[in-house]
Amino acid sequence: MNKPNDEQKFYTFLSTHNPIGPQLWEDIRAIIEVKKIKKKRYLTAEQFDMHFILDGMIIKRIENASEPYEEVVDFVSTNQLIYHIEKMDHSSFEADIDSTVILIRNSKLSKLLEKHPIFLHHLEHFFGEVLLRRSYRGKLINLTARERILKFKEDYPEAYKYCSVNDKSSFLGMTAAYYSSINI
């Protein structure tokens, strides 16, 4: 995909939630950076920067001091947002498949919001989605393993289809062997 098509995809998505005037769009275009992230590469950014996923799948992992691996806590897919707080929650973001993302630096976003306070309505939608996903795993606690997998398959179809058994089982709080033993 070339940059103008990526920008158009972003514009289309933004426009579905609230209208984007021509001047606001020009100012947004001036601050966004389109990036291609290869599979198994990490997204990096400064604290409070944002990545918008145009296409692909990014896995959020948290360092687990009691285990020798990183626990999968989220799957971030197309039209979702990452708000970078890695230094605060000891996390990392890894591309599970080749992905296209838009980076918006916090310093540039602050200036955009000063000029166009209406853009805050778009950000409220993004952050609402982020908070909704953060509470997702808590909703799985009282479900059986089979019910967790079925719910995950329904709510995260791309992750269910493309991500490794180890990552899916980590996210759902079970071993990979147990996950694989459940016939869905």
Side-chain angles (χ1 to χ4, degrees), residues 144-146 148-149 169 173-183:
T144 67
R146 180 175 174 69
R148 279 184 269 163
I149 293 171
S169 62
M174 57 186 81
T175 66
Y178 186 62
Y179 177 95
S180 296
S181 73
I182 297 170
N183 192 9

Side-chain angles (χ1 to χ4, degrees), residues 98-157:
D98 289 355
S99 302
T100 305
V101 299
I102 286 188
L103 173 63
I104 303 173
R105 300 269 179 208
N106 183 49
S107 59
K108 293 179 180 179
L109 180 61
S110 298
K111 291 175 185 169
L112 179 71
L113 286 169
E114 285 175 21
K115 188 173 179 182
H116 301 280
I118 192 78
F119 191 62
L120 187 57
H121 295 297
H122 293 86
L123 293 180
E124 287 170 350
H125 171 77
F126 289 150
F127 288 121
E129 290 290 320
V130 170
L131 293 173
L132 213 68
R133 284 196 328 272
R134 284 219 175 118
S135 63
Y136 182 83
R137 288 186 359 150
K139 296 175 187 172
L140 302 177
I141 290 173
N142 294 324
L143 300 178
T144 67
R146 180 175 174 69
E147 290 169 334
R148 279 184 269 163
I149 293 171
L150 288 171
K151 180 96 175 110
F152 176 74
K153 182 179 180 181
E154 176 185 327
D155 295 341
Y156 288 86

Side-chain angles (χ1 to χ4, degrees), residues 14-32:
L14 289 174
S15 298
T16 61
H17 300 291
N18 287 300
I20 301 283
Q23 187 57 54
L24 174 56
W25 176 239
E26 285 306 312
D27 290 343
I28 291 171
R29 285 184 68 219
I31 69 166
I32 62 175

Side-chain angles (χ1 to χ4, degrees), residues 45-50 60 62 82-93 127 130-131 134:
E46 296 299 316
Q47 194 160 343
F48 307 123
D49 288 349
M50 295 185 303
K60 181 177 182 181
I62 299 278
I82 295 170
Y83 188 60
H84 289 274
I85 57 169
E86 294 93 321
K87 293 175 184 169
M88 295 164 54
D89 70 0
H90 307 290
S91 63
S92 61
F93 295 95
F127 288 121
V130 170
L131 293 173
R134 284 219 175 118

